[in-house]
Amino acid sequence: MHAVNEYLSDPDARRALQDSLNAPYTAPVIRCAKFKITARCNLRCTFCQYWQMREPDEMSTSEIQRSLDQLRDMGCVKVHFSGGEATLRKDVFALLAHAASLGMKANLTTNGTLLDHDRAHQLLDAGTHSVSLSLDGPDARTHDSLRGVPGAFERTTKAIRLLARIRDRRGSRLKLRLNTVLTRHNYTRLADVTDLAAELGMTDVIPMPVDERLETAEHRLSRHDIERFNTHVAPIAAEVRRAVGFSTAPHLIWPFGRSDRDLLLAAEGRYARGYFKEHLCHVPWLHMFITWNGDVYLCCMARGKTEPFGNLRRQSVAEVFQGEGYRQIRGQFRRKMPSVCHRCDMFLAENAVIEQALSPANIGPGAPRRTPDNASPGESQPEDRTAAPRTGLRSGPESRSAATASAAAEMPPRSPGGTGTSEFVVLP
């Protein structure tokens, strides 16, 4: 759900979305889409299952380009390409270029290990808006142990430096973001990763709590780990972010939350931390998730929890988005959010913005309810100014003092990971 503030600044758009929240649950636009263009991957991440899949049936270049045309006709302004490892597809830069030519923001997630000089130039030539790369540690030992392939750290950091150098030489506005999956094995190194990201020329670091089945805890932080993170790691990482000019938005500093209830739920992998007990997720009205073979789902959390709502090889984007499957799941969301959604933290901030925009004060009666325990982006919350010791959790310069930052309920996106039991209505 991209740039919802901009979209909902139009009173007609607010009213159209409000009307679509009621039966027959049609929706006016697709605001953004995510294409998983391949399940193949060249790494062997310990917390991810994609590399274990054998899914050779991939949409062709022309099939994806046709779907991009249809998405744009439905109002889509942003498309995100990922995998697996998206750069294993030889046509990835052609797909990025096609999306950009349609006026959409074309984003790519990659591990960077397959980017050389020529491919880095192709990426920028395509008009790519942003690239998210992955580093799970500030050194090869930490990163490679989680990514499962020796040498991955060296190849990824080399690619980041290359992209940053070409970007700067061209005067490009390409955004380079670093995704860091937080596990119990690497969370103490977040400040060092942030230091490294700034040195490499990146725009920001996105901490992403690892996603696992609720009954699994091989990588997920325990309550004790999260308390340690909040007390000793987050304040130092926040200070580094300030020093290097990265965003200090609360959800980037406190990805597990701060209250006792937040920590309890996050330790169980319920990263929405109760938000969807009282609030609606608007993803079924504004977003589409497409897999490598053309199957359509709501989002990456829903893949495997429902039957596909359609397939873009056999149907148009509009046919699927306005079809029976989407309408049924919208109705289910209005009645009760499925329990798997409580593991999801991808669009909390956007949902809060939408809910506020659709409140009776902004649009009239009939808007979804909103309670004050989850503040929207920009709303102030009490600030904790208690300093915390660093107690040897971080190596590197000792000149930066520990500091804390404001708390908030919203959280950043998270990497794809484990699956769970079906909690959605299984649709035809």
Side-chain angles (χ1 to χ4, degrees):
M1 295 191 293
H2 174 68
V4 292
N5 267 324
E6 175 186 337
Y7 172 58
L8 295 173
S9 65
D10 179 355
D12 291 337
R14 291 200 302 272
R15 280 189 287 270
L17 182 57
Q18 176 65 60
D19 290 344
S20 73
L21 295 178
N22 302 310
Y25 303 118
T26 56
V29 299
I30 299 174
R31 191 65 181 165
C32 61
K34 186 169 186 176
F35 254 110
K36 280 201 173 292
I37 56 176
T38 184
R40 293 175 288 144
C41 191
N42 61 322
L43 298 185
R44 300 292 181 265
C45 300
T46 60
F47 46 77
C48 182
Q49 298 176 344
Y50 278 110
W51 62 270
Q52 303 175 46
M53 301 173 67
R54 296 294 178 264
E55 298 283 352
D57 185 24
E58 296 176 354
M59 295 178 76
S60 67
T61 305
S62 61
E63 287 173 329
I64 295 177
Q65 289 175 334
R66 182 181 68 240
S67 297
L68 291 171
D69 294 341
Q70 295 171 358
L71 283 164
R72 189 65 190 94
D73 290 342
M74 289 288 294
C76 185
V77 295
K78 175 185 174 183
V79 64
H80 193 120
F81 296 100
S82 67
E85 174 46 46
T87 61
L88 283 168
R89 284 191 62 136
K90 295 180 180 179
D91 62 356
V92 62
F93 305 116
L95 297 175
L96 286 161
H98 190 78
S101 74
L102 296 172
M104 293 190 282
K105 290 184 177 180
N107 299 346
L108 174 69
T109 292
T110 174
N111 60 42
T113 59
L114 302 177
L115 291 176
D116 56 19
H117 186 272
D118 289 342
R119 301 194 95 198
H121 276 283
Q122 289 181 63
L123 193 154
L124 271 83
D125 290 341
T128 308
H129 177 260
S130 71
V131 181
S132 296
L133 297 106
S134 303
L135 275 181
D136 297 329
D139 51 52
R141 180 179 179 182
T142 306
H143 178 78
D144 291 357
S145 67
L146 289 167
R147 294 286 164 169
V149 174
F153 177 84
E154 181 180 355
R155 294 198 298 273
T156 297
T157 52
K158 181 179 179 180
I160 295 171
R161 292 184 192 278
L162 181 61
L163 285 170
R165 185 165 63 248
I166 295 172
R167 175 199 62 189
D168 294 345
R169 285 177 179 174
R170 292 188 177 196
S172 168
R173 299 176 66 181
L174 176 72
K175 295 179 180 179
L176 295 176
R177 297 187 177 95
L178 191 69
N179 293 337
T180 296
V181 180
L182 294 178
T183 73
R184 63 174 54 188
H185 313 294
N186 70 341
Y187 74 92
T188 62
R189 309 301 304 280
L190 180 59
D192 294 310
V193 171
T194 307
D195 260 336
L196 177 60
E199 177 193 332
L200 293 172
M202 305 208 78
T203 308
D204 208 344
V205 173
I206 312 298
M208 306 167 73
V210 68
D211 177 31
E212 290 182 311
R213 296 186 183 193
L214 299 185
E215 67 271 17
T216 304
E218 180 181 356
H219 298 286
R220 194 168 65 241
L221 274 67
S222 67
R223 168 87 181 249
H224 173 74
D225 292 329
I226 296 173
E227 289 174 347
R228 192 179 185 211
F229 176 88
N230 282 1
T231 302
H232 301 294
V233 179
I236 302 170
E239 185 64 24
V240 175
R241 296 183 76 93
R242 293 188 186 94
V244 301
F246 289 170
S247 169
T248 55
H251 68 268
L252 298 175
I253 297 173
W254 313 102
F256 302 100
R258 301 189 70 186
S259 72
D260 288 342
R261 180 171 177 268
D262 287 344
L263 271 59
L264 177 64
L265 292 171
E268 296 175 349
R270 303 178 193 274
Y271 297 120
R273 306 199 308 269
Y275 183 87
F276 294 122
K277 293 284 188 182
E278 296 292 334
H279 302 266
L280 176 68
C281 179
H282 297 84
V283 159
W285 284 266
L286 294 167
H287 181 75
M288 180 174 279
F289 178 87
I290 306 123
T291 63
W292 47 88
N293 66 350
D295 284 343
V296 175
Y297 300 89
L298 294 181
C299 60
C300 64
M301 292 296 289
R303 189 185 69 83
K305 315 300 187 302
T306 64
E307 293 297 318
F309 296 157
N311 185 283
L312 297 189
R313 282 174 157 167
R314 300 184 295 271
Q315 299 162 277
S316 71
V317 167
E319 286 173 334
V320 176
F321 196 61
Q322 305 295 10
E324 183 63 20
Y326 256 97
R327 290 202 302 271
Q328 284 193 34
I329 204 70
R330 289 171 190 140
Q332 179 182 340
F333 270 46
R334 287 290 275 153
R335 293 187 295 272
K336 182 181 179 181
M337 291 291 295
S339 63
V340 70
C341 297
H342 303 303
R343 289 168 46 195
C344 178
D345 58 3
M346 288 188 293
F347 296 116
L348 292 186
E350 292 88 344
N351 274 303
V353 168
I354 294 169
E355 189 167 319
Q356 186 173 38
L358 299 184
S359 66
N362 290 317
I363 202 169
R369 67 188 180 279
R370 179 175 178 275
T371 54
D373 59 326
N374 284 282
S376 298
E379 290 186 340
S380 61
Q381 294 217 355
E383 186 173 7
D384 180 357
R385 300 185 180 277
T386 306
R390 45 179 86 196
T391 58
L393 288 181
R394 177 173 177 262
S395 60
E398 294 298 320
S399 59
R400 298 188 177 101
S401 62
T404 58
S406 302
E410 299 81 43
M411 302 164 67
R414 190 173 71 264
S415 69
T419 59
T421 57
S422 176
E423 296 290 348
F424 289 87
V425 173
V426 178
L427 303 173

